[in-house]
Amino acid sequence: MVRAIVGANWGDEGKGKITDMLARESDIIIRFQGGSNAGHTIINNYGRFALHLLPSGVFYDHTVSIIGNGVALNVPYLNNELEDLVSRGVPKPRILVSDRAQLMMPYHVLFDQYEEERLGGKSFGSTKSGIAPFYSDKYAKIGFQVSELFAPETLKEKVERVCEKKNVMLEHLYHKPLLNPDEIFETMMGYREMIEPYVCDVSAYLSGALKAGKKILLEGQLGSLKDPDHGIYPMVTSSSTLAAFGAIGAGIPPYEITQITAVVKAYSSAVGGGAFVSEIFGGEADELRRRGGDKGEYGVTTGRPRRVGWFDAVASRYGCRIQGATEAVLTVLDVLGYLDELTLCVGYEIDGEVVKDFPVTHKLEKAKPVYKTMPGWKCDIRGIRKYEDLPAACRAYIEEIEREICVPITMVSNGPGRDEIIMRG
Ligand code: GDP
């Protein structure tokens, strides 16, 4: 049985917390896309952790954590993240890395920085983790698979060829120091040493695990609106953030993914540029940002303040639909207890017309929010474990969101901790 945990919004919905929680009952947890460019915050009995590359299942000793072929694998980063966990008292997790995962090269990170510099104010708001250059190279067929580290003769030749191409750009477009292929080859041999104990034919392993009836979680990074096809292109990430891609990025049959858990945030937050219809500003935004998440709304990887706004029903309904959500988890609801009134964006006004379907980017940029308000519950709901014990105004807000997104809300998260969850019947 495979369950995908994916974001319905712009990312930072709290997928890490939900994955960590559901991993207790699972055997295998897989990252299937993205890289170290976004983080998951997890708070459990070992402390507070910001994971970037490791799946959020690494805190249990009964689970196997997998880096799937769809991931942008930054080997030294993975190594550091593992060492950090162990140094903080977490038992060394069991890790497998797909032999078909591709390597984040040091020059991918450099190219990301150089391109942002070149674009200046017109940049895409990249986290400069090398993600766009990495996926560009993968699909241009000049990336490096983990498997290639174990065929050093052909690898050496390929490194030379790739450097030749990269150096033209470095010299003539970016005016930066050139790459030395011998140095890069040596670095890659270092990667080989670090990664060797974990390398595995992951799709074969998972095929066996599925036959044996193991419970598998797919952990998505970012959310629907950052998907390169279905999101707010071009202000998107470079790998698919959708549950459907889980089959490809892990190497399993698509029909095995029977449960798609969309994580929906009780208000909106986003990092980077792009249209954000229900965004709020000024003091109102500062207050929500300060109270948001577990330590305010600041990026886990970059520390950048996140943009914040009211719940956007148009974007969230689309986000759930494009994920194929079979259920939704509503997160960070506790944060909203200070408001006299809740504001929900229930439509977009575009050129004088109100639309309910999430539009393509050029129309989205013209959209103005159509709001409706509901009374606040004006109290702290943390610690509540039963749905019926929530204040009536709070339940009304949840049920209104459920109607808007057209997906049953099966869980409500009312705090960052592992056990701060309300299950609905
Ligand atoms: P992810 O990338 O989707 O895993 O999300 P992040 O970890 O980047 O951001 C979610 C933030 O919200 C983290 O700081 C979490 O600790 C926090 N969080 C998750 N669920 C809840 C919740 O129900 N209530 C509160 N207050 N914080 C939460």
Side-chain angles (χ1 to χ4, degrees):
M1 201 215 98
V2 184
R3 181 183 202 168
I5 299 157
V6 285
N9 306 123
W10 297 262
D12 308 316
E13 299 92 348
K15 297 175 293 295
K17 175 218 154 127
I18 302 301
T19 308
D20 173 60
M21 190 189 90
L22 295 175
R24 184 160 31 198
E25 327 257 88
S26 309
D27 302 299
I28 299 168
I29 299 93
I30 312 171
R31 279 283 311 270
F32 62 89
Q33 45 92 213
S36 59
N37 50 323
H40 299 293
T41 309
I42 294 161
I43 298 165
N44 56 31
N45 45 324
Y46 293 106
R48 182 180 194 274
F49 294 85
L51 293 183
H52 298 92
L53 208 44
L54 284 169
S56 302
V58 287
F59 298 99
Y60 298 96
D61 45 22
H62 69 277
T63 56
V64 175
S65 299
I66 296 185
I67 306 281
N69 57 276
V71 170
L73 172 64
N74 185 325
V75 176
Y77 205 107
L78 179 73
N79 227 35
N80 291 344
E81 214 161 72
L82 271 172
E83 279 173 12
D84 181 51
L85 284 193
V86 173
S87 75
R88 291 179 60 191
V90 180
K92 188 156 191 222
R94 277 190 291 160
I95 305 283
L96 296 177
V97 172
S98 167
D99 55 2
R100 291 178 184 272
Q102 293 208 4
L103 300 165
M104 174 64 70
M105 302 293 284
Y107 55 76
H108 287 142
V109 181
L110 292 175
F111 272 94
D112 213 348
Q113 290 164 4
Y114 299 161
E115 183 63 7
E116 288 277 303
E117 266 174 50
R118 191 179 75 88
L119 292 173
K122 293 205 175 85
S123 78
F124 293 102
S126 160
T127 59
K128 304 184 190 72
S129 318
I131 295 296
F134 168 92
Y135 283 105
S136 310
D137 280 3
K138 175 172 175 175
Y139 293 107
K141 297 172 285 187
I142 50 168
F144 294 96
Q145 263 190 3
V146 165
S147 63
E148 290 174 78
L149 296 173
F150 301 90
E153 288 76 38
T154 38
L155 178 66
K156 203 159 195 200
E157 223 178 279
K158 182 170 160 189
V159 169
E160 276 166 23
R161 246 185 307 124
V162 172
C163 284
E164 214 173 355
K165 202 165 170 183
K166 297 282 167 205
N167 281 340
V168 175
M169 297 259 280
L170 286 171
E171 186 173 351
H172 298 289
L173 183 65
Y174 297 119
H175 314 293
K176 297 285 183 185
L178 303 191
L179 302 176
N180 175 338
D182 294 332
E183 250 172 51
I184 290 185
F185 181 77
E186 281 317 307
T187 304
M188 293 178 87
M189 289 300 103
Y191 289 177
R192 172 178 153 157
E193 207 169 300
M194 287 183 226
I195 209 75
E196 197 160 9
Y198 313 117
V199 177
C200 167
D201 178 346
V202 162
S203 73
Y205 174 84
L206 291 175
S207 176
L210 284 165
K211 284 201 184 91
K214 299 284 185 202
K215 282 193 173 164
I216 298 175
L217 292 183
L218 294 172
E219 181 182 20
Q221 183 214 35
L222 297 168
S224 302
L225 302 164
K226 294 282 187 183
D227 183 75
D229 285 81
H230 296 282
I232 52 171
Y233 191 84
M235 297 300 193
V236 293
T237 193
S238 304
S239 68
S240 175
T241 56
L242 304 182
F245 189 75
I248 296 160
I252 54 169
Y255 57 77
E256 294 284 359
I257 308 173
T258 49
Q259 235 179 325
I260 299 176
T261 307
V263 185
V264 178
K265 196 160 174 160
Y267 54 92
S268 300
S269 71
V271 280
F276 181 176
V277 179
S278 65
E279 183 169 14
I280 55 173
F281 304 92
E284 198 175 44
D286 291 341
E287 171 133 50
L288 182 54
R289 189 176 299 112
R290 183 172 58 75
R291 291 173 177 269
D294 79 298
K295 280 200 169 181
E297 292 290 353
Y298 299 93
V300 178
T301 306
T302 57
R304 289 188 291 191
R306 289 179 185 148
R307 300 161 70 192
V308 292
W310 303 131
F311 178 79
D312 183 336
V314 179
S316 302
R317 179 169 54 248
Y318 173 75
C320 286
R321 168 163 72 75
I322 218 75
Q323 289 289 7
T326 57
E327 62 174 352
V329 186
L330 189 67
T331 56
V332 290
L333 186 65
D334 50 297
V335 163
L336 303 181
Y338 73 98
L339 293 164
D340 294 326
E341 218 172 43
L342 279 302
T343 307
L344 300 89
C345 172
V346 292
Y348 291 170
E349 194 193 309
I350 302 172
D351 295 331
E353 202 188 318
V354 174
V355 301
K356 297 268 183 180
D357 287 323
F358 194 78
V360 293
T361 306
H362 75 93
K363 290 186 183 160
L364 182 70
E365 275 159 2
K366 290 196 275 184
K368 305 224 167 17
V370 177
Y371 285 129
K372 87 176 235 177
T373 57
M374 296 180 74
W377 48 92
K378 296 295 285 178
C379 67
D380 186 3
I381 59 163
R382 281 185 76 173
I384 295 179
R385 290 291 163 270
K386 285 204 204 110
Y387 189 71
E388 312 79 76
D389 294 344
L390 287 170
C394 182
R395 278 183 277 132
Y397 183 65
I398 298 167
E399 287 158 28
E400 184 60 23
I401 289 180
E402 186 171 51
R403 265 189 296 278
E404 284 285 353
I405 63 177
C406 308
V407 179
I409 295 175
T410 55
M411 290 176 260
V412 175
S413 173
N414 60 338
R418 219 180 228 183
D419 302 313
E420 293 182 286
I421 196 88
I422 298 170
M423 299 288 179
R424 282 180 84 199

